[in-house]
Amino acid sequence: MAYIIDNKKLSITNQTEKIKIQYSPIVEYMFASILDDQLKIEGTLFLPFSPDNTPIKIYFKYADNYYEANLLKNNDPERVFDTEIICERNFYSVKIPLIQDDEISCFVELNGEKIECTRYMYSRFFPVSMQTPGQFVVQNDWILKCKLAKLNIEKDINQKWKDYENKFSANLKASYKYLREIYYTKNKGKRVWLLWDRPNQAGDNGEALFEYLVNSNECKEEVYFVISSSSTDYKRLHKLYPDRVVDVGSLKHQQLFVISDILIGSQTDSVMWPLDPKVFRDIISQKPFVFLQHGITKNDMSRNYSRYYQNIRLFVTAGISEYENTKNIVNYGFSESMVKLLGFPRFDKLEDKKKKYIAILPTWRKYCVNNNSNGEIKDNFNESEYFLFYSKLLKNTELLNMCEKTGFKLIFLQHNIMKKTDEKFLQHECIEFGDATWSYNRVISEASILITDYSSVSFDFAYLKKPIIYCQFDKEKFYKTHTYQEGYFDYERDGFGPVVFSVEDTKKYISRYLNMGCKMEDKYIERVNRFFEFHDKNNCARVADAIREVKLTNE
C-alpha cells in the first residue's frame, strides 16, 4: 500500500494489483478548551494504513498561520466506519494562540504536500457539532462554533453568547430551557460531586467513597449517589442518606448533573449521561470523569476505558504493575498525572470473616451469548465448555462428599449475564446459588476459598490473603472470543494461586486448602505483597485527595 497525491486529493494504491482508491482523511474532534487566549484541540486522525512509514503531519490553519499538531502514531490497524479500508488511528493535540475572529481548518501533510481535510466527526465530549445548528460554547471570553465543516472562533464582546443562547434555546422544550438556565446561572459555591456504581446496584467503589465522604468532617463538597429507585440498594442507602441519594434519570439527577463539577463512578454506562447529548453537548464536554474502576485492569482495555471515549481525567489504580502498564499504553490517552496509584475505596471495607463457604465465581463467556443480543444465552449452552466444566465440577461426588464431611458449602455465583442459567446446574444441599443476599462484600469477607477463572474479583480476595484457584479450562477459546486479550498479568507467573485446567485438579486443590485450614501459601502471599502498593484502610482518603486535584478543563 502507498499514498498518492494528485491535484490536492489523496488516493491509496496497491502497487501489485494496480488498484487506486480515492480517500479523504477523517479528522475527529474530541476535546476543546480555551485558556489564556489559547485554544487547545485534541482528537484523532484516520488515514489508510500504510506500512511504508510515510511521514505524516497535521496542521490547523487560523489567521493565515499554520499550527502543527503533536501527533502520536498508533500502528494498530482497524476498519473505519463506512469503508472497508484498513486505517490507522493517530492521536493529535494542538495549541492555537487566539488573536482575532476567524475560521479554523485542518490539513494533513503527506510527502511534503498539504491536503485540506473535508470529513469531520465530533465526539460527544467536543462542545460543538456541525450536526446541531446554532450550537456554541463560551470559555474565557471566546466563543467556539461550527461553520459548515470548519470551526469558527470569535471574541465574546458585550456577552454576545447570550444572544447565541437565546437563539439556540428558542425552540427547545421547557425542561431543556430550564436546565440550560440553571447551568448558566449556577452560583460558584461548593463543588458538586456525583457518584455511582451500577444503575441498579451499589456496593462497589462508588458507594464506598460516597459513604466515606458523607461521614468525613474534611469533606467540603456536596456529594450525591445516583442509583435507580427500583433497586434494593436505593432503599437501603436512601434510608441512611435521604437528601443525598438520587434516582437515575430523575429531574433532580438532571439538575445535579448540570451544576456538577466532577462525575465519579466505578462503571462507564448510562448513569453518566442523563441528558440529550445533542442539546447539552456543550455542558457534557465540561464534565470531567473520575474512573474508580470496578476491578483491577489486567488487560489492555483502552478501547473501552480511554480518555478519548469517556473523558477520564483520573484513572484510579490499586496494583503497582497495573499502574505502570496503564500509564504507558498510548491508546489510553492519559498524561502521567491522570493515572494514579491510590488503592480502591472498597478495600477499606474489606474484612476477613471466614465461614465455611467455597465461592465459585466465574466470569461470563462471550461464546455463550448470541451476537448483537442483550445477553441472550445461546440455545446450545449445554454443549459449551463453560457449562460442561462447571456442571461436572458441581456434580463431582468426591467434592460433594468432602463438603458434607467438613460442613462446607459451595456458593455458585455466576456473572449477571450468565445468571439465568442457574437452573441448568445440579441442585444439591451442599450447593447454594448466589442471590441478592450475596453482596460483593459478603462473598469476599465470608468465603474461605475462591474458585474463579479470569475474573478480577480474585484481586480483592487476594488482598485478604485467602486461597484462590484459577480454573482456565477454556483459556484459548476465551481469549479468542472475549472482549479483551491477554495483558501484562500472567496467571501462572503472577497469579495468587494455582492455575488448573481440569475438574480433577480443581478438586485436588480444594482438598489441599481445606487440609491447610484455608490458608494462602507463602509464595502467593509474597506475590500479593509485591502487587499491592498499599495494605491499609486509607484508600478512600487518598482517592478523595486526588480528586480534589483534578483539573476542571482539558489543560
Side-chain angles (χ1 to χ4, degrees), residues 368-406:
C368 289
V369 178
N370 285 322
N371 292 333
N372 304 316
S373 73
N374 188 23
E376 182 184 330
I377 302 298
K378 289 183 177 178
D379 292 338
N380 64 348
F381 172 76
N382 287 20
E383 301 168 14
S384 67
E385 290 179 57
Y386 175 90
F387 175 78
L388 293 174
F389 179 87
Y390 286 108
S391 177
K392 188 175 179 182
L393 178 67
L394 294 174
K395 285 195 286 190
N396 187 274
T397 305
E398 290 183 47
L399 177 59
L400 294 174
N401 288 341
M402 198 187 307
C403 289
E404 288 178 345
K405 184 178 178 181
T406 58

Side-chain angles (χ1 to χ4, degrees), residues 295-510:
I296 295 285
T297 295
K298 59 190 186 304
N299 305 289
D300 181 355
M301 300 294 291
S302 57
R303 293 202 178 194
N304 302 84
Y305 303 137
S306 84
R307 180 171 70 96
Y308 300 110
Y309 302 137
Q310 307 294 348
N311 200 16
I312 296 172
R313 308 284 183 82
L314 175 61
F315 189 101
V316 176
T317 64
I320 297 171
S321 53
E322 175 198 27
Y323 165 72
E324 294 292 342
N325 185 263
T326 303
K327 73 174 184 176
N328 290 324
I329 294 179
V330 171
N331 289 8
Y332 279 112
F334 298 135
S335 65
E336 192 162 343
S337 64
M338 292 178 179
V339 183
K340 299 221 179 258
L341 179 55
L342 305 167
F344 285 165
R346 69 181 185 227
F347 285 176
D348 286 352
K349 302 179 80 171
L350 289 181
E351 294 180 277
D352 187 358
K353 298 178 179 178
K354 244 183 244 182
K355 294 184 179 178
K356 289 193 170 187
Y357 295 125
I358 299 168
I360 304 174
L361 273 73
T363 194
W364 70 287
R365 297 304 198 271
K366 190 175 181 181
Y367 66 74
C368 289
V369 178
N370 285 322
N371 292 333
N372 304 316
S373 73
N374 188 23
E376 182 184 330
I377 302 298
K378 289 183 177 178
D379 292 338
N380 64 348
F381 172 76
N382 287 20
E383 301 168 14
S384 67
E385 290 179 57
Y386 175 90
F387 175 78
L388 293 174
F389 179 87
Y390 286 108
S391 177
K392 188 175 179 182
L393 178 67
L394 294 174
K395 285 195 286 190
N396 187 274
T397 305
E398 290 183 47
L399 177 59
L400 294 174
N401 288 341
M402 198 187 307
C403 289
E404 288 178 345
K405 184 178 178 181
T406 58
F408 271 79
K409 250 192 174 179
L410 299 171
I411 309 300
F412 190 47
L413 218 167
Q414 296 193 89
H415 189 282
N416 286 341
I417 293 175
M418 313 294 286
K419 193 88 186 82
K420 62 193 78 171
T421 67
D422 278 356
E423 61 186 23
K424 295 179 179 290
F425 294 91
L426 175 72
Q427 311 294 310
H428 189 279
E429 59 183 9
C430 289
I431 302 171
E432 184 175 333
F433 290 85
D435 56 20
T437 65
W438 280 97
S439 66
Y440 158 82
N441 271 338
R442 184 185 174 195
V443 175
I444 302 300
S445 297
E446 295 187 9
S448 295
I449 299 171
L450 173 66
I451 299 170
T452 187
D453 41 28
Y454 319 95
S455 173
S456 60
V457 71
S458 64
F459 291 91
D460 298 61
F461 208 74
Y463 195 79
L464 295 178
K465 297 174 181 174
K466 298 196 283 188
I468 300 165
I469 302 167
Y470 299 100
C471 298
Q472 298 187 349
F473 53 91
D474 59 350
K475 181 177 179 180
E476 185 177 347
K477 185 170 187 176
F478 178 83
Y479 283 116
K480 276 186 177 179
T481 60
H482 211 60
T483 53
Y484 54 77
Q485 300 300 313
E486 289 183 85
Y488 67 89
F489 191 86
D490 184 293
Y491 287 91
E492 298 192 50
R493 181 193 65 212
D494 308 317
F496 312 118
V499 178
V500 299
F501 304 95
S502 68
V503 168
E504 190 60 33
D505 283 343
T506 305
K507 183 195 66 178
K508 180 182 76 175
Y509 277 104
I510 293 173

Side-chain angles (χ1 to χ4, degrees), residues 79-118:
R79 293 197 185 278
V80 178
F81 316 111
D82 59 344
T83 77
E84 285 298 310
I85 298 173
I86 302 296
C87 289
E88 60 182 8
R89 176 194 292 263
N90 300 296
F91 305 107
Y92 70 80
S93 174
V94 66
K95 291 182 179 179
I96 303 171
L98 301 177
I99 55 175
Q100 66 185 43
D101 295 2
D102 208 342
E103 64 183 25
I104 298 169
S105 51
C106 180
F107 292 78
V108 170
E109 183 180 284
L110 299 166
N111 297 323
E113 190 166 354
K114 290 186 178 69
I115 307 163
E116 185 169 3
C117 299
T118 56

Side-chain angles (χ1 to χ4, degrees), residues 195-198 201 204-207 264-268 289-295 305 346:
L195 298 96
W196 66 85
D197 284 321
R198 295 182 185 274
Q201 189 177 15
D204 206 329
N205 286 316
E207 181 189 336
I264 307 163
S266 64
Q267 301 282 338
T268 57
F289 173 45
V290 173
F291 188 32
L292 302 175
Q293 296 202 78
H294 49 276
Y305 303 137
R346 69 181 185 227

